[in-house]
Amino acid sequence: MSAVLELRRVLKRFGETLGVGPVDFEVQEGEFLTLLGPSGCGKTTTLHIVAGLLHPDEGTVTLGGRDITRLDPQHRDMGLVFQNYALFPHKTVFDNVAFGLRMRKVAQSKIRDRVSRMLEVVGLPGVEARQPHQLSGGQRQRVALARALVIEPSLLLLDEPLSNLDAVLRKRMRHELREIQQRLGIATVFVTHDQDEAFEMSDRVILMNVGHIEQVATPEELYNSPTSRFAAEFIGEVNLIDGTVASLIGDSAVVEAALGGRYAARGDGGALGVGDKVLLMVRPERIGIETSPSANGEAVEATVANRVFSGNTLIFTLRTASGIELTASKPSTAQYRDIAPQSTVWLDLGDCRLLPRET
């Protein structure tokens, strides 16, 4: 598989403020790659550099092996869907979708067939004569997608295109957008701050933080094996416990934890030494809760400080004897519904990960 898009040492400043960089990454043929991160992390700046809406101060952008770093947007073989869709309000759906084809001087005899075919692809046959104000939010989003795809670009860019939709429609459109992308096999760069969108739609995720790339991984790798405290805390809920490395075995370590006891943890143990300060990471759903102590006596005793019902899930706040509070999530079954606040329980901290303690 070859790279469609490559960014090498790309950097952009706005006066004295760093916008992004230097960053390096590539997008493979047919890949759905997401730029994920909080506001101000540089993900939209990066997308605008790829689109040609901004030019970098340093570095190169190549598309299909061709240097496009200084090319204007209209000379790049890309389709772009904006957050607000940017449809022409007084043009019909047909004219909106046909706009890019006309700018490329495609023969009129071919435009109608291509527009109709693309509206079929996005699930909007027969709406050619309508205007944008006659469409729902989800339909306008699909028209914008059809306009971006009808020119048959090498790369599709999506700048938070689902953020203006209500929660139910937004979730449905995630799956429809991903299905269309996979069916067409088009390389795609998607920008979002929503980790659920990133996880459900992406082949790989680039997590960004203050202009830099924090981690590049599959959604599963990013959730299970974050490489920094920022990545662990940004992706889902997490418990982080101070600890000290007691011993090392390959890339794993035994950690003396602040809440008491020793725990095996997987991670980059090869970069650590005995006595180093670290963090133990445990996801809430991976903390076992029992109402009686285990036979081996290794469980941590705790008091249920709070319990929150959240539909099919119960969220427990658990206070250990050392004063450390942990969060655990469990299915809303009788086994866990019977555990009341102020109960004494015993915790099994399973599947611990090892993180460096950042200063």
Side-chain angles (χ1 to χ4, degrees):
M1 186 180 295
S2 60
V4 174
L5 175 76
E6 295 182 73
L7 273 70
R8 294 290 176 253
R9 306 299 295 170
V10 167
L11 182 143
K12 179 67 179 179
R13 292 186 180 276
F14 301 97
E16 297 298 316
T17 303
L18 175 68
V20 66
V23 295
D24 293 81
F25 68 85
E26 58 190 36
V27 184
Q28 303 296 327
E29 292 180 2
E31 182 179 29
F32 196 112
L33 180 79
T34 294
L35 303 178
L36 173 68
S39 297
C41 71
K43 58 187 184 294
T44 298
T45 298
T46 302
L47 189 82
H48 286 180
I49 288 172
V50 172
L53 301 173
L54 291 172
H55 290 165
D57 299 324
E58 299 176 15
T60 59
V61 181
T62 59
L63 183 69
R66 181 171 68 114
D67 189 335
I68 61 168
T69 309
R70 300 295 164 186
L71 284 182
D72 290 333
Q74 65 270 25
H75 301 304
R76 302 186 182 209
D77 184 21
M78 299 178 183
L80 176 59
V81 178
F82 293 97
Q83 182 176 346
N84 63 358
Y85 315 140
L87 298 177
F88 300 111
H90 302 300
K91 290 182 181 289
T92 64
V93 168
F94 179 90
D95 288 334
N96 267 283
V97 177
F99 179 78
L101 297 174
R102 287 173 175 155
M103 292 296 291
R104 287 163 174 77
K105 302 190 185 304
V106 174
Q108 187 63 36
S109 59
K110 296 181 180 179
I111 289 177
R112 182 162 297 279
D113 285 343
R114 286 177 62 172
V115 169
S116 296
R117 187 168 66 249
M118 190 50 61
L119 288 174
E120 288 273 359
V121 168
V122 300
L124 287 178
V127 302
E128 289 88 342
R130 295 187 194 178
Q131 292 188 319
H133 72 272
Q134 297 174 306
L135 304 174
S136 68
Q139 289 173 324
R140 289 195 294 272
Q141 193 265 352
R142 294 186 202 188
V143 171
L145 181 60
R147 183 176 62 182
L149 291 172
V150 76
I151 61 173
E152 299 177 352
S154 297
L155 183 70
L156 176 63
L157 306 178
L158 302 171
D159 188 5
E160 301 206 51
L162 307 180
S163 60
N164 290 330
L165 304 178
D166 65 65
V168 175
L169 181 57
R170 184 171 183 163
K171 188 170 182 65
R172 191 175 79 228
M173 288 304 300
R174 288 178 201 164
H175 300 290
E176 292 187 7
L177 182 57
R178 176 60 162 151
E179 190 275 331
I180 290 169
Q181 183 267 339
Q182 289 181 309
R183 183 154 27 108
L184 297 177
I186 185 171
T188 300
V189 179
F190 179 71
V191 164
T192 186
H193 62 272
D194 187 317
Q195 69 177 52
D196 290 335
E197 285 184 358
F199 277 23
E200 289 181 22
M201 300 173 71
S202 310
D203 294 308
R204 286 189 303 149
V205 177
I206 295 179
L207 179 62
M208 301 190 70
N209 182 25
V210 292
H212 298 289
I213 293 176
E214 190 80 16
Q215 188 172 351
V216 183
T218 66
E220 188 172 346
E221 290 168 343
L222 193 56
Y223 185 81
N224 291 324
S225 304
T227 56
S228 67
R229 180 169 190 154
F230 172 82
E233 292 183 319
F234 189 81
I235 303 298
E237 299 296 325
V238 69
N239 296 289
L240 296 176
I241 306 162
D242 288 329
T244 303
V245 175
S247 61
L248 293 164
I249 307 172
D251 286 338
S252 297
V254 175
V255 177
E256 187 83 40
L259 52 69
R262 293 189 172 193
Y263 300 89
R266 294 175 294 134
D268 192 12
L272 297 169
V274 173
D276 284 353
K277 303 298 184 183
V278 294
L279 293 171
L280 281 178
M281 183 199 92
V282 189
R283 295 292 184 188
E285 71 276 10
R286 294 171 188 174
I287 294 181
I289 302 178
E290 300 294 339
T291 54
S292 58
S294 61
N296 59 22
E298 293 182 355
V300 177
E301 185 175 338
T303 300
V304 178
N306 193 25
R307 189 192 73 173
V308 176
F309 174 74
S310 181
N312 62 354
T313 305
L314 292 167
I315 309 297
F316 293 91
T317 301
L318 306 158
R319 186 176 296 117
T320 68
S322 60
I324 293 174
E325 287 194 351
L326 302 174
T327 300
S329 61
K330 291 296 163 188
S332 183
T333 59
Q335 174 185 356
Y336 298 108
R337 287 199 303 270
D338 290 342
I339 299 176
Q342 305 311 312
S343 299
T344 299
V345 293
W346 285 262
L347 311 179
D348 176 22
L349 274 59
D351 195 20
C352 296
R353 301 292 306 186
L354 193 64
L355 290 174
R357 188 187 298 178
E358 298 158 3
T359 58

